[in-house]
Amino acid sequence: MHRSGTSALAGCLETYGLFLGDVVRTAPHNRRGNNENLEIRTLHDQVLADSGGAWDNPPPVVTWHAEHRRTLRYIIDAFADAGRWGFKDPRTLLTLDAWLEEIPDLTLVGTFRHPARVVHSLLARHPSMQRRHALELWFTYNEVLLSLVRDRGALIICFDLPTAHYLASVRQLANAITLAGSNGTFFTPELRHWSGTDWHDMPSRARQLYDRLLEVSLTPEASANRSHD
């Protein structure tokens, strides 16, 4: 989900040796860039728009047209000599099917964050967005993420962990996908702009989904990070 530490995770994995290629290194709402490949993000936006939606208005059915698929193959071919390569874009949770058809053994990794923190961050970035809508987006994306853990073995970590535990979880993830680098120094605590964990105004199903994500996340310490405010 957007605003869930995706940029931080991509940056950390790059320090472990994952090749990201030409990505955005500076962005207004990401102090060290969002680490997104603009060709991939533009393609995903086009696929969603042509399906009648957008990242913040997920369409019920996502359709990849022939032109989209040609662009996708062109992008994949451009990474042919890159070794261990990857990309980051939260929209992939909505557009993944075509990627899996082109790369059936694609390794899936992800990150999740407390719903209150995601909602707060989304509303700060998009003041016209309604709080209820921001929360529903959190549900939509993270329900897909959970299904990918169960159905396709996706590996996920929690962005809410204390710094030492978060860096340990990144190291565990890098080891799990056999990256050869030796450090994950991209992350600094300042990349997290808000640390509230209030459950009082959250529906019970939000806490239930968050707890399920914690249960299947890579790092055992995640279970100790649950908030019972």
Side-chain angles (χ1 to χ4, degrees), residues 57-169:
N57 179 29
V61 177
V62 174
T63 301
W64 284 73
H65 300 308
E67 181 180 353
H68 300 147
R69 291 180 180 274
R70 284 193 294 270
T71 301
L72 177 58
R73 294 188 193 102
Y74 171 82
I75 290 171
I76 293 172
D77 288 345
F79 282 100
D81 299 323
R84 296 298 304 278
W85 66 274
F87 70 93
K88 167 260 171 175
D89 182 13
R91 297 161 185 79
T92 312
L93 285 169
L94 309 177
T95 62
L96 183 59
D97 287 350
W99 282 96
L100 290 173
E101 291 172 6
E102 294 293 330
I103 313 177
D105 60 347
L106 188 70
T107 298
L108 305 177
V109 303
T111 174
F112 65 98
R113 191 183 191 189
H114 192 290
R117 297 177 179 182
V118 172
V119 169
H120 181 274
S121 185
L122 278 176
L123 298 183
R125 183 169 181 176
H126 307 281
S128 63
M129 182 178 289
Q130 296 297 311
R131 184 180 181 280
R132 177 179 296 182
H133 181 57
L135 183 58
E136 284 303 316
L137 287 173
W138 182 88
F139 275 114
T140 297
Y141 279 75
N142 283 290
E143 284 170 349
V144 174
L145 183 62
L146 181 61
S147 72
L148 290 173
V149 175
R150 292 173 172 171
D151 299 340
R152 293 193 171 272
L155 304 174
I156 63 171
I157 64 174
C158 179
F159 192 51
D160 300 317
L161 295 173
T163 297
H165 288 174
Y166 177 75
L167 292 177
S169 71

